């Protein structure tokens, strides 16, 4: 909700290849004025949730969003293996995870990544901006091997590919 992501392909000529957007949203807090909600249709958006009021569920379903109710483990986290099994059952075989620290860390600790691309920006964020460091780098280095460093011509980011 803070970022209002698009989760689509914005490369010229490739927009039609935008992926199916899969969102983990415990309490169905996705804002109805968000880009995700406004651009949702019957084929492009799936939201896993645990609890929500009936009015919001109805609103999301009318918009064409596929809702999948799923249990949580450890009070507030989805069982990622169960989520992946449900996605597999509906025909999804490859996923790109664009997650924050907690989600990426959970995927790493459960050894659910085949490949992990670590993007490092040379930009230094202002101290006044709230951000969260990726604090699973030690786990990544211990459990995955560096396959290659990628020169990125589009930005000045350093990209490292790790494989298990």
């Amino acid at each position: 909700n803070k970022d209002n992501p698009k989760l689509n392909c914005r490369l010229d000529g490739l927009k039609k290849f935008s992926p199916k957007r899969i969102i983990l949203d415990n309490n169905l807090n996705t804002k109805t004025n968000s880009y995700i909600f406004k651009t949702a249709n019957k084929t492009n958006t799936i939201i896993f949730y645990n609890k929500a009021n009936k009015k919001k569920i109805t609103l999301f379903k009318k918009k064409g969003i596929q809702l999948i109710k799923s249990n949580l483990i450890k009070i507030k986290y989805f069982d990622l293996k169960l989520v992946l099994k449900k996605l597999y059952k509906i025909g999804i075989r490859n996923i790109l995870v664009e997650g924050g620290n907690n989600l990426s860390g959970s995927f790493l600790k459960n050894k659910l990544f085949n490949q992990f691309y670590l993007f490092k920006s040379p930009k230094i964020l202002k101290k006044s901006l709230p951000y969260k460091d990726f604090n699973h780098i030690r786990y990544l280095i211990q459990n995955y091997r560096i396959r290659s460093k990628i020169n990125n011509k589009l930005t000045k980011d350093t990209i490292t590919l790790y494989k298990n």
Side-chain angles (χ1 to χ4, degrees):
N1 278 327
K2 290 178 188 173
D3 294 344
N4 195 20
K6 293 185 177 180
L7 303 179
N8 64 3
C9 180
R10 292 181 288 282
L11 297 174
D12 288 336
L14 298 175
K15 291 180 174 113
K16 64 183 176 185
F17 296 108
S18 285
K20 196 172 287 255
R21 304 174 302 193
I22 301 161
I23 299 158
L24 304 180
D25 184 354
N26 295 357
N27 298 312
L28 205 55
N29 289 326
T30 300
K31 294 178 181 176
T32 56
N33 66 346
S34 69
Y35 183 87
I36 293 287
F37 185 84
K38 288 179 181 178
T39 60
N41 61 50
K42 291 180 182 176
T43 61
N44 75 348
T45 306
I46 299 171
I47 298 180
F48 283 84
Y49 76 101
N50 178 258
K51 285 191 244 177
N53 67 51
K54 291 188 187 285
K55 185 178 177 182
K56 197 150 192 190
I57 290 170
T58 302
L59 181 65
F60 276 60
K61 285 184 177 179
K62 275 186 183 176
K63 185 65 180 163
I65 296 171
Q66 182 179 351
L67 295 177
I68 300 175
K69 188 168 183 171
S70 193
N71 291 329
L72 302 177
I73 55 174
K74 295 183 183 176
I75 302 168
K76 61 179 181 173
Y77 296 112
F78 286 99
D79 181 339
L80 295 177
K81 289 180 181 178
L82 183 61
V83 167
L84 292 175
K85 284 179 186 177
K86 288 181 180 184
L87 291 172
Y88 187 85
K89 282 183 181 178
I90 60 174
I92 295 172
R93 302 295 185 261
N94 296 297
I95 64 168
L96 168 68
V97 177
E98 188 177 330
N101 186 59
N102 293 338
L103 183 62
S104 296
S106 293
F107 266 87
L108 283 169
K109 288 177 182 173
N110 285 291
K111 296 184 173 138
L112 298 173
F113 283 125
N114 293 327
Q115 298 181 139
F116 188 94
Y117 290 88
L118 181 63
F119 288 74
K120 286 186 182 178
S121 173
K123 288 184 182 177
I124 297 175
L125 297 175
K126 295 177 186 175
K127 290 186 179 186
S128 62
L129 293 174
Y131 74 95
K132 194 169 191 176
D133 280 332
F134 178 65
N135 60 13
H136 301 285
I137 191 73
R138 183 179 299 148
Y139 188 87
L140 179 64
I141 291 168
Q142 289 173 349
N143 294 284
Y144 291 78
R145 67 185 199 282
I146 293 179
R147 189 70 179 174
S148 61
K149 293 205 180 238
I150 301 165
N151 291 327
N152 186 359
K153 306 267 190 233
L154 298 174
T155 68
K156 293 180 181 172
D157 292 350
T158 302
I159 307 169
T160 307
L161 169 60
Y162 293 84
K163 286 195 169 195
N164 65 359

